[in-house]
Amino acid sequence: MLKGTSLDTYNIKSETVNNAIIQLGDIDDTGKGKHFTSRFIQAGLVKIEGHGIVLLKKETLDMSLQSMVGAPVIIKHQDVTDENADELRCGVISKAYFNDFDGWYYAEGIIWDTKAQELINNKDWSVSCSYDFLSYNDEGGVENNIKYDKEFTSLNFTHLALVNNPRYERANIVFN
């Protein structure tokens, strides 16, 4: 638009220009979602239904971690398929990493669903990750004087679920 002209000069009504007219100082972040950080898993022993006590070594988590990038964030654990992914997905993981300071693995991403945002703000809800184990050793053993039934040796992370009963009690999710 030329300096000194108005929208009326072009017979354009301001409310019909792709909803893109914003006054100086206004912020329109509709549809952007909220950035989050989540502490979601740590190496060690974990009880998994149907498998007993399982050992997850840091080396296994390190090797498998990048499969978390691109994984959906969903509300409660559910099987995510090509057919239902768009319906279940309320966010997505964009980054996953290990924090040397506290020994936890973290995920970051965007949550765009308002119901999911409310659950996160609720503080009674947290996160739980889901993964397929691609290989395992079922010989069992002892770790820190605790017997375990098997060791998962390769994983593929499938989703991060918002839950009210996380497997890892100190797992969390917060908006940045």
Side-chain angles (χ1 to χ4, degrees):
M1 192 161 54
L2 298 174
K3 185 176 181 181
T5 61
S6 71
L7 294 176
D8 292 325
T9 304
Y10 296 98
N11 294 322
I12 298 173
K13 295 184 179 184
S14 62
E15 64 270 8
T16 62
V17 184
N18 300 322
N19 295 325
I21 295 192
I22 299 172
Q23 297 296 321
L24 187 61
D26 286 349
I27 296 174
D28 181 8
D29 55 2
T30 306
K32 287 174 62 174
K34 293 185 177 183
H35 183 266
F36 72 88
T37 300
S38 173
R39 180 173 64 198
F40 72 96
I41 196 168
Q42 65 183 163
L45 297 172
V46 61
K47 185 175 182 180
I48 299 179
E49 189 176 324
H51 298 282
I53 305 297
V54 175
L55 175 62
L56 284 174
K57 290 184 176 176
K58 182 179 182 309
E59 298 80 27
T60 299
L61 292 172
D62 288 344
M63 178 180 60
S64 306
L65 186 60
Q66 289 312 303
S67 67
M68 184 59 112
V69 175
V73 179
I74 64 174
I75 298 174
K76 296 186 178 178
H77 283 296
Q78 302 176 57
D79 288 332
V80 180
T81 66
D82 286 340
E83 291 77 30
N84 68 9
D86 288 339
E87 177 184 325
L88 295 177
R89 187 182 299 118
C90 60
V92 67
I93 305 295
S94 59
K95 181 179 180 181
Y97 57 93
F98 178 73
N99 183 326
D100 285 323
F101 181 73
D102 65 4
W104 280 81
Y105 288 84
Y106 284 74
E108 294 183 19
I110 302 293
I111 301 283
W112 54 77
D113 181 83
T114 55
K115 179 180 178 187
Q117 292 172 0
E118 290 170 9
L119 291 173
I120 291 168
N121 288 330
N122 182 335
K123 304 295 184 211
D124 289 335
W125 283 65
S126 187
V127 294
S128 178
C129 65
S130 178
Y131 51 81
D132 296 327
F133 62 93
L134 305 177
S135 62
Y136 65 95
N137 176 337
D138 64 357
E139 292 175 12
V142 176
E143 179 82 4
N144 296 325
N145 208 25
I146 300 171
K147 291 177 75 172
Y148 63 89
D149 301 302
K150 62 179 71 167
E151 175 189 352
F152 290 166
T153 55
S154 181
L155 310 174
N156 179 53
F157 288 98
T158 59
H159 66 260
L160 186 68
L162 301 176
V163 298
N164 60 358
N165 59 343
R167 180 178 293 130
Y168 294 86
E169 293 86 4
R170 292 178 298 154
N172 72 352
I173 184 167
V174 295
F175 289 118
N176 302 38

